[in-house]
Amino acid sequence: MAADETDTADTAIIAALSVNARATLNELSAVAGLSVSATQARVRRLEARGLISGYRAVIDPEVAGKPLAAFVEITPLDPGQPDNAPELIAHLDEIEACHSIAGDAAYMLFVRVATPRDLERLIRDIRSAASVGTRTTVVLQTFFEHRPLSPA
């Protein structure tokens, strides 16, 4: 197998780690149908290829005190201004994700805060820091996120 190919064992390992990043090599070897040493070698190869770029804990936002989630579209007030909004707002910790998007807005932010007042403050901070207009959609309920990702 070429160094950049992914087979069914690799796919099984990736799927298992997507569900549980703390899966043991024994657990991974069982789902991949490989020995523990072969599984460890596969995981190291997947990491070296950059297919697995890290491991992270999934934090419950409600328990962490940030139950309010929202999507915030940002659009430059002046279309001629430099396209550096991500750099200008990167210091705002409540912004969990920033995506460049097609459409009327330039970027879509995903934010988490504790209260509506905190959301109002964050929107004000975003507008001020990046000189942008905003359009906000508050999340009422999340049915799923952080779904396992399998290679194409």
Side-chain angles (χ1 to χ4, degrees):
M1 175 169 53
D4 61 348
E5 291 180 11
T6 305
D7 66 8
T8 56
D10 289 341
T11 301
I13 291 167
I14 293 164
L17 287 171
S18 293
V19 172
N20 177 12
R22 294 178 62 161
T24 66
L25 286 172
N26 282 335
E27 293 166 340
L28 296 175
S29 67
V31 298
L34 301 170
S35 69
V36 171
S37 61
T39 301
Q40 184 175 33
R42 295 282 187 121
V43 170
R44 285 184 180 154
R45 191 182 83 238
L46 293 167
E47 291 169 342
R49 285 178 46 204
L51 194 54
I52 297 173
S53 60
Y55 301 85
R56 64 187 284 258
V58 178
I59 308 301
D60 184 314
E62 291 198 25
V63 176
K66 293 191 174 182
L68 179 58
F71 292 97
V72 180
E73 294 179 2
I74 63 173
T75 307
L77 294 176
D78 173 9
Q81 75 188 52
D83 187 14
N84 61 347
E87 294 84 19
L88 296 173
I89 61 173
H91 68 283
L92 299 171
D93 293 334
E94 299 93 344
I95 301 173
E96 191 171 305
C98 175
H99 306 279
S100 176
I101 60 171
D104 294 334
Y107 297 94
M108 177 72 73
L109 311 178
F110 181 72
V111 305
R112 289 192 191 272
V113 294
T115 68
R117 183 162 288 173
D118 291 326
L119 180 59
E120 184 177 30
R121 179 200 43 78
L122 177 60
I123 291 167
R124 188 175 48 249
D125 291 349
I126 291 167
R127 289 175 179 163
S128 174
S131 189
V132 294
T134 61
R135 180 171 173 251
T136 303
T137 303
V138 172
V139 174
L140 298 177
Q141 184 175 1
T142 299
F143 294 98
F144 53 83
E145 64 183 349
H146 307 297
R147 295 179 86 172
L149 179 65
S150 297

